Amino acid sequence: MREALSHMLATTRGVPATPSTVMVTRGSQQALDVTARALLAPGDLVAVEALGHRGAWTAFRLAGAQLVPVPVDGEGLSVAALAALVERQPIRAVYVTPHHQFPTTTVMSQTRRAELLSLAARHRLVILEDDYDHEFHYDGRPLLPLAASDRAGSVIYMGTLSKILAPGLRSGFVVAPEPTIERIVSFRVASDIQGDHVTECAIAELFEDGELARHVRRMRCTYMARRDALVAALKRVLGEAVRFQLPAGGMALWAGVAPEIDVERWAERSLARGVAFYGARMYDFEGRYQPFARLGFTFLDEDELREAARRMATALAELPRAAHARADGSAASRL
Ligand SMILES: Cc1ncc(COP(=O)(O)O)c(C=O)c1O
């Protein structure tokens, strides 16, 4: 599987991996956990995107790290804010999701990528790049990962098969310079001696005979159609209650919710109607309220997505007036 992965990474993502610079993991969560334990000492400072991925924060904290939030905007992580931080504090590592920032889905701009790599090289900062949904881009070719342009050996690159095969498969990987990978492996074997060789052989075959590449091409079309179906349905039944930009890739829409709507209560009501989504509180570093929601579109088919949008509209109309009404026009009255 390490051979198959390194071939795939070198040929499709420009990441110069070899079997000896790849470690197979049980999904990217294990990659984050083991890498954090191998890399970090108690008290080390790790900069994280905020909004961001709670699973990564937990892994870093359990390794003893102290997290420092860095804001994100329409170009991804604010490298200027990170640079200011690095001047003041001994930041050891930064965790980023440049391909589609999680949860906002923003693609990190080319300029920011170059600035981040150069900042990391200057300050010996480790970049933990989580490329969890690399395959899902709907507008031509995607930008290559940071790991593809890393000349200084700053990047530890992580990926997963959870999004292209199944999360229940628990299969992912880490790529890093060989001495770093050897150290990470020595931490993994403390709890997971061999990985799951049977599954790994089966996955390697799927890579080698081209089945995975064909599957990804089919999924890309399917997911693009699902994205478009959700967008059309939301526009039709929710009108101005949500605003969003069409994401060029990824598996979710990041929607701004009208200020008069309490998005967390709306999510609760929707769940009671069988539709699950998260408000932004889930991704906020301090767990604060923010008027945004992340709406996944890959799990349901197009009819189901249309039905989900209808149920979300019903849930919104059911909210107590205090949760969605301002003086004159309530969101529900606009549905
Ligand atoms: C930002 C991010 N990274 C990684 C993953 C994948 O985790 P895993 O590979 O452990 O299933 C997810 C899944 O939701 C995610 O949101």
Side-chain angles (χ1 to χ4, degrees), residues 26-29 53 95 97 102 130 132 160 162-163 167 170:
R26 313 272 183 154
S28 35
Q29 192 59 37
H53 178 40
Y95 168 74
T97 49
F102 187 90
D130 181 354
Y132 60 100
T160 181
S162 285
K163 313 295 183 189
R170 305 311 309 138

